[in-house]
Amino acid sequence: EDQVTQSPEALRLQEGESSSLNCSYTVSGLRGLFWYRQDPGKGPEFLFTLYSAGEEKEKERLKATLTKKESFLHITAPKPEDSATYLCAVRGEYGNKLVFGAGTILRVKS
Amino acid sequence: ETGVTQTPRHLVMGMTNKKSLKCEQHLGHNAMYWYKQSAKKPLELMFVYSLEERVENNSVPSRFSPECPNSSHLFLHLHTLQPEDSALYLCASSQEVVNEQFFGPGTRLTVL
């Protein structure tokens, strides 16, 4: 069974304090790892898709990386507007669904 | 309208009521999804439709009944719900089931 574990559950940063969020996964034949951002009371917003180990993608202050067992979302010099819940999901080679982790709640204080 | 829209945004219903949630996607996608999001739990996939055919039914109780009349619209019909069904219900769409999904804002459902 495909599984996703995200850590930490919650993270508090000062503005400008860089850090990383972790997404560990077990999946039979990875067909994609997805990162989303979710603001309170809203639907998840798509950020990145990674397909193979060694792949990296960047968007503004966010950079996602992928190994064979985990993915990291690096946040460089975060701002208060980066505060949100960050969700990770994987798709395996069987089935039509994404399996989501429970998310990391990020709070950035000015 | 752009992206994925959902109505209503908030719904309060009694256990004996019948109501429906509506989702519309304006992205030209051919796959649509219903998810349930409860507090401090991962997103739970409920149903997947590809080219208007249901391709995944994730052991969802029969009090939830999906309908996909065309590739742009998805409904979730609700009847005889339980208080534990209170949650945020999210609709999503994608171009093919293998690609990234785009979510609507959700319907916050409260069952009294």
Side-chain angles (χ1 to χ4, degrees), chain B:
Chain B
E1 297 276 20
T2 59
V4 180
T5 58
Q6 291 186 243
T7 55
R9 294 294 312 279
H10 300 272
L11 179 62
V12 179
M13 58 187 290
M15 294 169 60
T16 58
N17 291 159
K18 290 184 179 181
K19 297 287 184 182
S20 296
L21 310 185
K22 178 183 176 182
C23 174
E24 183 173 1
Q25 61 95 0
H26 307 268
L27 300 169
H29 290 162
N30 58 15
M32 297 187 77
Y33 312 79
W34 279 117
Y35 285 88
K36 176 183 179 182
Q37 188 173 37
S38 304
K40 298 190 176 182
K41 292 179 67 176
L43 278 167
E44 300 174 57
L45 178 67
M46 300 176 72
F47 302 103
V48 180
Y49 277 83
S50 177
L51 298 172
E52 301 151 43
E53 287 195 23
R54 192 190 310 180
V55 297
E56 189 91 23
N57 179 349
N58 225 27
S59 302
V60 179
S62 59
R63 56 185 183 271
F64 295 91
S65 176
E67 179 189 1
C68 187
N70 55 61
S71 60
S72 298
H73 294 86
L74 186 65
F75 295 88
L76 187 63
H77 304 297
L78 316 172
H79 66 97
T80 325
L81 294 191
Q82 305 298 312
E84 60 264 30
D85 296 322
S86 299
L88 182 68
Y89 287 84
L90 292 161
C91 174
S93 71
S94 66
Q95 184 56 30
E96 311 297 337
V97 294
V98 296
N99 293 319
E100 54 271 8
Q101 297 173 17
F102 294 85
F103 286 82
T107 295
R108 173 65 64 185
L109 173 66
T110 303
V111 181
L112 302 177

Side-chain angles (χ1 to χ4, degrees), chain A residues 22-85:
Chain A
N22 178 263
C23 171
S24 297
Y25 64 90
T26 55
V27 65
S28 54
L30 182 69
R31 291 294 181 265
L33 185 141
F34 305 82
W35 281 100
Y36 287 85
R37 169 196 170 123
Q38 186 174 22
D39 293 301
K42 297 187 177 182
E45 174 190 346
F46 171 72
L47 294 174
F48 305 109
T49 308
L50 302 168
Y51 291 103
S52 57
E55 189 175 359
E56 300 181 352
K57 288 195 176 173
E58 288 188 66
K59 179 180 179 179
E60 296 180 354
R61 295 176 293 281
L62 302 177
K63 179 180 177 180
T65 62
L66 181 65
T67 72
K68 289 187 177 181
K69 293 186 176 182
E70 58 191 350
S71 177
F72 291 94
L73 186 64
H74 306 280
I75 303 176
T76 302
K79 297 182 178 182
E81 53 262 43
D82 295 321
S83 297
T85 297

